[in-house]
Amino acid sequence: MAAILSPAQASVMASKYKISFPGRIFALLLFTIAIMVVCFMGFQYAREKRYKAERFDAELQQYNHHLLDAIESGRPLSEVVAASHKPMPDMRISVIDASGAIVYDSSLENLPRDNHLQRPEIADAFHSGHGCSISRQSASTGTTYFYSATKGSDIVIRSAVPYSVGLSDILAADHTFLWFMLTVAIIVSILGYLAARRIGQTIARLNKFALQAESGEQIYNTEAFPHDELGDIAGHIVRLYVKLQQSNADRDQQHRIALHQEQEKIRIKKELTNNINHELKTPVAAMSVCLETLEAHPDLTPAQRQEFLKRCAQNCARLDSLLRDVSIITRMDDGPMAITREPVDLAVIIKEAVSDCTLQAEKNGLKIINRVEASLPMEGNSALLLSVFRNLIDNATAYSGGSIVEIKLTMATEQTIALTVADNGVGVPEEHLQRIFERFYRIDKGRSRAAGGTGLGLSIVRNAIAMHGGSIAAENRPSGGLMHRITLQRRFDSSVVR
């Protein structure tokens, strides 16, 4: 009576007879080598046999050309066939005309009447000049032949060699390469066994490490793994586990840094809110004073009333400009993904900005010179790019004190566009030059408010250019005035923009 094994005993027996990992690798390698050897041997055998058939066909083609030359010289074909040296004995020579009828056959007294145009070698000969059938049975004699046909001016000469033992030996492939392939397969199998055993040892040690890691054991630097790709991977895994606690500490540190950055962002937003509140109070207060004066003094002259209304309109325009700039700043703070991008022509955008600002510039005695004429296709947001050049021109118009604003293209490649926007005014003091792109930063606060500025224009310029993967820098010109150097990317990955 057969003994019944317990589950533990069954598990032990299963693990005892289970094929090891190196054994499975080696078995798979042997199977792959066997498939490769069989496929290569079959391919090489067919290829060599085809090569020998082509060589034999070329020899028969040469003989056919000899017969065609004799026919064209006027000699009787039967005489030429009898006198010529045949490549193989028992050759059968046939002549087929353009209609497909046999007009001569060296092996038959009574010529067959069936049409031969459908014979493969005859059809190929009439189509391309020569044809060949390696093994085809003749419908006239019942014998299997090797056919080779050659086209002349209006006939086809066909040589046929009986497919006998002699011809089979000629066309047979050489078997030497078979023994060569078997020898190579044995050598590769031996090398594969050694490689599989080496890999298996590394896998076994890595499995032991995984069991220790799963059980929570403390693992230190163990003995080195073999110096190969798998050994390097195993070593990396062990070192990564050893550094796990340090990684946790680093993670906590990064969390604290991220928390600090989030608090800093909240502080900046609160500061921006306070600045906006302060900036809004000024035009609102000015309009309130003007309206209260108009209401309290109905006896004001028309000129006085017009002056107060004019001040209200100016402060209302300033308030509108401030709200518009704040809206743009808020959109950009939401991140690059909130800004839509599409193919635009930067030259057209610059031309539009110049057109929008020309009237105000002329009122202030400035001339805008736009030297950007050629098309500058790129990927971007037309509204933001338009605001860049409007703000730069408006800034120069309001504060430069000069007479010329010039926009110039300095470089255009497949990747980048570089431009300058410069004026010939008074420039900016060096101590303020690095801060002019900050929000609400003013060099002369009284003069800026009098000119209707919001203090956000250059900040919008810097952020809008950054949204397009570019940069801007300001510098004083040696000849006088301020120059902004702008670099824009034609195409960019918004995920890398900060």
Side-chain angles (χ1 to χ4, degrees):
M1 186 176 180
I4 299 177
L5 299 178
S6 65
Q9 291 174 329
S11 176
V12 172
M13 292 293 292
S15 61
K16 179 179 179 181
Y17 293 103
K18 182 180 178 181
I19 301 177
S20 63
F21 183 76
R24 295 198 299 272
I25 294 179
F26 181 60
L28 179 61
L29 181 61
L30 284 181
F31 180 71
T32 305
I33 292 173
I35 292 177
M36 291 179 61
V37 168
V38 170
C39 292
F40 180 79
M41 288 170 61
F43 170 77
Q44 184 65 19
Y45 183 83
R47 181 181 181 186
E48 187 175 354
K49 190 172 182 179
R50 185 174 64 252
Y51 169 72
K52 289 190 175 183
E54 290 174 354
R55 286 186 58 186
F56 187 64
D57 177 56
E59 187 177 352
L60 295 182
Q61 290 285 336
Q62 186 177 5
Y63 180 71
N64 291 345
H65 281 292
H66 169 68
L67 297 181
L68 285 172
D69 292 340
I71 292 174
E72 292 177 357
S73 66
R75 295 174 59 190
L77 182 58
S78 58
E79 179 184 331
V80 176
V81 172
S84 62
H85 176 71
K86 300 180 180 63
M88 292 286 291
D90 302 328
M91 282 184 61
R92 176 187 171 190
I93 308 299
S94 305
V95 179
I96 298 91
D97 62 13
S99 66
I102 295 182
V103 297
Y104 172 82
D105 193 296
S106 63
S107 300
L108 300 174
E109 295 182 0
N110 297 322
L111 299 178
R113 297 182 180 276
D114 52 337
N115 192 300
H116 281 60
L117 289 180
Q118 300 304 319
R119 304 292 195 272
E121 68 279 359
I122 302 300
D124 291 343
F126 275 112
H127 181 264
S128 60
H130 69 275
C132 173
S133 291
I134 296 178
S135 177
R136 186 175 66 79
Q137 187 178 32
S138 171
S140 303
T141 64
T143 306
T144 301
Y145 290 99
F146 182 102
Y147 289 102
S148 179
T150 307
K151 184 179 180 299
S153 57
D154 55 356
I155 61 173
V156 169
I157 293 289
R158 183 180 69 180
S159 300
V161 179
Y163 210 87
S164 59
V165 176
L167 180 59
S168 299
D169 293 338
I170 292 175
L171 298 180
D174 188 4
H175 294 80
T176 304
F177 75 96
L178 299 178
W179 297 109
F180 172 75
M181 283 299 301
L182 289 175
T183 304
V184 171
I186 293 173
I187 295 175
V188 172
S189 299
I190 295 174
L191 296 177
Y193 169 74
L194 297 176
R197 187 177 66 174
R198 180 184 178 92
I199 293 174
Q201 291 173 347
T202 302
I203 293 295
R205 289 177 53 196
L206 190 57
N207 182 54
K208 180 181 177 181
F209 157 74
L211 293 175
Q212 292 175 334
E214 185 179 15
S215 62
E217 296 182 21
Q218 183 68 37
I219 299 176
Y220 301 97
N221 291 329
T222 58
E223 56 181 314
F225 285 90
H227 294 292
D228 52 28
E229 287 79 1
L230 185 58
D232 292 340
I233 293 173
H236 285 312
I237 293 174
V238 173
R239 287 191 292 272
L240 285 173
Y241 184 82
V242 171
K243 295 178 180 178
L244 181 59
Q245 291 181 342
Q246 182 61 41
S247 298
N248 290 336
D250 293 341
R251 181 196 60 193
D252 294 339
Q253 178 67 18
Q254 291 295 328
H255 178 72
R256 287 192 293 271
I257 293 175
L259 181 61
H260 173 73
Q261 291 176 345
E262 185 65 24
Q263 292 173 345
E264 185 66 16
K265 288 174 65 176
I266 294 174
R267 185 193 65 79
I268 292 174
K269 286 184 177 181
K270 185 179 294 185
E271 181 180 345
L272 175 62
T273 302
N274 293 335
N275 288 333
I276 292 173
N277 183 49
H278 175 74
E279 293 295 328
L280 288 174
K281 285 181 179 179
T282 302
V284 170
M287 287 189 291
S288 297
V289 169
C290 291
L291 293 174
E292 289 173 359
T293 302
L294 289 171
E295 184 180 12
H297 300 82
D299 56 341
L300 291 174
T301 65
Q304 290 174 327
R305 296 177 66 85
Q306 186 64 30
E307 176 64 24
F308 282 112
L309 290 174
K310 181 179 178 181
R311 292 181 184 179
C312 286
Q314 289 176 344
N315 282 280
C316 185
R318 179 184 172 192
L319 185 62
D320 178 70
S321 177
L322 177 62
L323 293 175
R324 186 173 59 251
D325 287 349
V326 169
S327 176
I328 296 175
I329 287 287
T330 303
R331 286 175 58 204
M332 290 190 292
D333 282 345
D334 289 338
M337 299 305 295
I339 305 300
T340 58
R341 294 176 300 278
E342 59 185 358
V344 298
D345 189 343
L346 187 61
V348 174
I349 293 174
I350 294 174
K351 185 177 180 181
E352 181 180 352
V354 171
S355 176
D356 293 344
C357 300
T358 297
L359 183 61
Q360 184 63 38
E362 290 177 351
K363 287 182 179 179
N364 289 10
L366 269 79
K367 179 180 180 182
I368 304 175
I369 301 176
N370 180 17
R371 301 191 185 278
V372 181
E373 299 177 355
S375 177
L376 294 173
M378 64 175 290
E379 182 184 85
N381 183 279
S382 57
L384 285 182
L385 291 172
L386 182 62
S387 70
V388 167
F389 293 96
R390 276 180 178 171
N391 276 301
L392 290 176
I393 296 173
D394 287 342
N395 204 61
T397 301
Y399 309 120
S400 70
S403 59
I404 294 176
V405 180
E406 182 182 36
I407 305 173
K408 184 178 180 181
L409 176 69
T410 59
M411 181 184 67
T413 67
E414 292 184 0
Q415 291 79 27
T416 60
I417 300 172
L419 310 102
T420 59
V421 179
D423 61 67
N424 62 346
V426 297
V428 174
E430 292 295 331
E431 64 270 19
H432 299 288
L433 200 58
Q434 301 301 320
R435 300 190 61 189
I436 61 175
F437 294 104
E438 296 179 9
R439 296 177 183 178
F440 297 108
Y441 185 80
R442 292 185 174 94
I443 299 173
D444 185 344
K445 295 184 179 180
R447 183 187 174 198
S448 297
R449 287 196 177 94
T454 64
L456 294 173
L458 290 182
S459 176
I460 291 175
V461 168
R462 180 187 62 183
N463 290 326
I465 291 176
M467 290 286 183
H468 290 79
S471 61
I472 182 171
E475 61 184 56
N476 286 313
R477 302 171 66 189
S479 58
L482 186 66
M483 175 183 290
H484 295 279
R485 296 187 181 274
I486 302 170
T487 302
L488 294 168
Q489 299 294 323
R490 288 185 185 264
R491 291 179 180 83
F492 63 96
D493 183 3
S494 61
S495 64
V496 302
V497 180
R498 295 290 184 267

